[in-house]
Amino acid sequence: MQLIFATNNAHKVAEIQQAIPAGFEVLSLRQAGIHVDIPEPHDTLEANASEKSGVILAMTGTNCFSEDTGLEVEALNGAPGVRSARYAGDQASFADNVQLLLRNMAGQQDRNARFRTVISLRFNGEEHLFEGICPGHITDAARGDGGFGYDPVFVPAGDTRSFAEMTLAEKNQYSHRAKAVAKLFDFLARQKR
Ligand code: IMP
């Protein structure tokens, strides 16, 4: 079964490629020859994920999925959340966002946080949503140089290393995205029977 993954983020594509079971083929937008920058105008992960998969479905008429992810920090009332990519401004780099987060968390005792991913699948004309959550905490300083985004400042519950200090396979044992993707492929495997 072939599906388009509606993202331009090469890190997300690499993570998901590692988790695809036999019998499925996932094409990134680039691999599918689609060059479009899909906006994320909404104030929930669900609505943004839905918008992205809807745009690609309208363009291609093909089964596809998208995902939207946010880092939800307890002491910041769930921020940056749906604004994770633009936390430090519309043109913010990963490093800008990480620096702002560490500044806003300076001196904060409660460092609990979680990543939440929502996948929107468009399959045979219907939409299905899948959620993956990874609890953990925010470090005092950036650690490691793997991964992307907030990986250097997030330690998943059950480990002492930041995501940026792990290999992709190690991150996938904990990650929000891997959990949502597992639900996606469970669902798809059941449709094939
Ligand atoms: P997006 O809107 O789903 O592309 O993601 C929002 C932002 O969250 C990204 O720009 C990253 O900074 C961050 N992000 C998403 N997924 C991860 C992850 O797995 N690790 C670290 N940061 C992430």
Side-chain angles (χ1 to χ4, degrees):
M1 188 188 301
Q2 197 179 66
L3 288 166
I4 296 176
F5 178 23
T7 186
N8 290 309
N9 183 326
H11 299 279
K12 291 183 179 179
V13 174
E15 283 186 17
I16 284 187
Q17 293 290 1
Q18 285 232 340
I20 301 172
F24 294 99
E25 191 187 356
V26 173
L27 298 180
S28 67
L29 287 181
R30 204 154 69 96
Q31 288 167 328
I34 299 168
H35 301 283
V36 61
D37 223 6
I38 313 171
E40 298 179 346
H42 303 291
D43 57 9
T44 63
L45 299 177
E46 285 80 1
N48 280 337
S50 195
E51 170 100 15
K52 289 188 263 192
S53 62
V55 167
I56 299 307
L57 177 66
M59 285 178 74
T60 64
T62 308
N63 289 336
C64 63
F65 67 96
S66 70
E67 66 97 90
D68 203 31
T69 295
L71 175 64
E72 301 173 344
V73 181
E74 206 168 273
L76 303 177
N77 299 316
V82 70
R83 291 194 44 82
S84 292
R86 290 153 283 134
Y87 190 38
D90 283 346
Q91 307 302 321
S93 65
F94 290 149
D96 296 334
N97 288 332
V98 163
Q99 273 168 28
L100 179 61
L101 178 66
L102 288 177
R103 267 206 309 282
N104 289 343
M105 289 295 285
Q108 183 57 248
Q109 293 299 307
D110 174 6
R111 307 198 68 90
N112 291 331
R114 65 181 199 172
F115 273 112
R116 193 164 74 89
T117 290
V118 174
I119 288 179
S120 160
L121 169 70
R122 305 285 179 153
F123 187 73
N124 296 348
E126 286 184 358
E127 181 178 18
H128 305 268
L129 297 178
F130 306 94
E131 185 186 58
I133 290 175
C134 176
H137 71 267
I138 304 298
T139 57
D140 293 324
R143 295 196 329 233
D145 42 30
F148 71 104
Y150 298 92
D151 279 349
V153 291
F154 184 84
V155 174
D159 211 295
T160 53
R161 298 164 298 172
S162 77
F163 271 159
E165 294 175 306
M166 297 182 182
T167 64
L168 259 191
E170 288 167 344
K171 178 179 174 183
N172 273 345
Q173 285 175 3
Y174 296 103
S175 103
H176 42 295
R177 187 166 299 103
K179 288 175 184 164
V181 166
K183 291 181 187 172
L184 165 73
F185 286 115
D186 272 1
F187 171 85
L188 288 171
R190 279 185 271 118
Q191 309 311 303
K192 279 179 83 180
R193 280 195 214 119

